[in-house]
Amino acid sequence: MSESVAEATKGKSVNPLLKLALEFGPLAIFFFANSYGDRLFGVAEDRRIFVATGIFIVASLVALVLSRILLHHLPRMAIVNAVVVTVFGGLTLALDDAFFIKVKPTIVNTLFGCVLLGGLLFGRSLLALVLETVLQLDEEGWRKLTFRWGLFFFVLAALNEIVWRTQTQDFWVAFKVWGVMPLTMAFALAQTPLILKHEIKPAVAAGE
């Protein structure tokens, strides 16, 4: 969200389909590489996750470069995602252990949750630093929204742990790609009443 506004402040509009492709594209590629890696690359079925991980790293870095070229800036989340995917994906490939790529969402979401809730303990609504150019909320609104998103990130971390530890590898990949995003979008939409309640309306110019 903040990335879209960053573009707006430069007088340029961001095509939402382009933005979605840059954010979701690497995950979709990861899914298809894991699903068809044995047929496309001739690897054993139990090696598909490693091929998919390597492709995922490359796709994430390419998306980062394309974001810089097409959006004319580097979105914070894209940077974080590319770094984390490269580190944990690299560990997966170097140690030949899919554990690292599977636990990555748990660690990242837990980190985000800790940062947001930890900030509240020190009286800071850190979500406002990311979204303040997108949303104009009063202090109570930012505090409540930050608290909710912090808890949601912990829920995502818990869900990832449950899924990868109890389900098949293919199911986990499908959930990571096609499950987490709809859940996140649904949660974001569910915050609309809170946002509307605490939104600071822009002052109407005199004489209008």
Side-chain angles (χ1 to χ4, degrees), residues 31 35 37 45 53 115 155 163 179:
F31 171 79
S35 299
E45 186 173 338
T53 297
V115 168
V155 170
V163 172

Side-chain angles (χ1 to χ4, degrees), residues 181-196:
M181 178 169 283
L183 284 174
T184 303
M185 292 178 66
F187 177 80
L189 288 175
Q191 307 315 305
T192 301
L194 172 67
I195 292 172
L196 293 177

Side-chain angles (χ1 to χ4, degrees), residues 78-93:
I79 296 174
V80 172
N81 182 69
V83 170
V84 172
V85 167
T86 300
V87 171
F88 284 88
L91 287 172
T92 294
L93 298 178

Side-chain angles (χ1 to χ4, degrees), residues 10-11 28 30 35 38 119 129 148 171 179-180 186 189:
K10 297 178 183 179
F30 176 62
S35 299
D38 50 343
L129 298 179
R148 292 183 182 185
F171 184 92
V180 173
L189 288 175

Side-chain angles (χ1 to χ4, degrees), residues 2-4 6-7 10 14 64 67-69 71-75:
S2 59
E3 293 83 354
S4 299
E7 279 298 306
K10 297 178 183 179
V14 177
L64 192 64
S67 293
R68 182 67 182 88
I69 295 173
L71 304 183
H72 306 288
H73 75 290
L74 291 176

Side-chain angles (χ1 to χ4, degrees), residues 114-120 123-131 142 146:
C114 288
V115 168
L116 291 181
L117 297 186
L120 289 179
R124 297 290 302 278
S125 298
L126 298 179
L127 195 63
L129 298 179
V130 180
L131 301 180
W142 279 122
T146 299

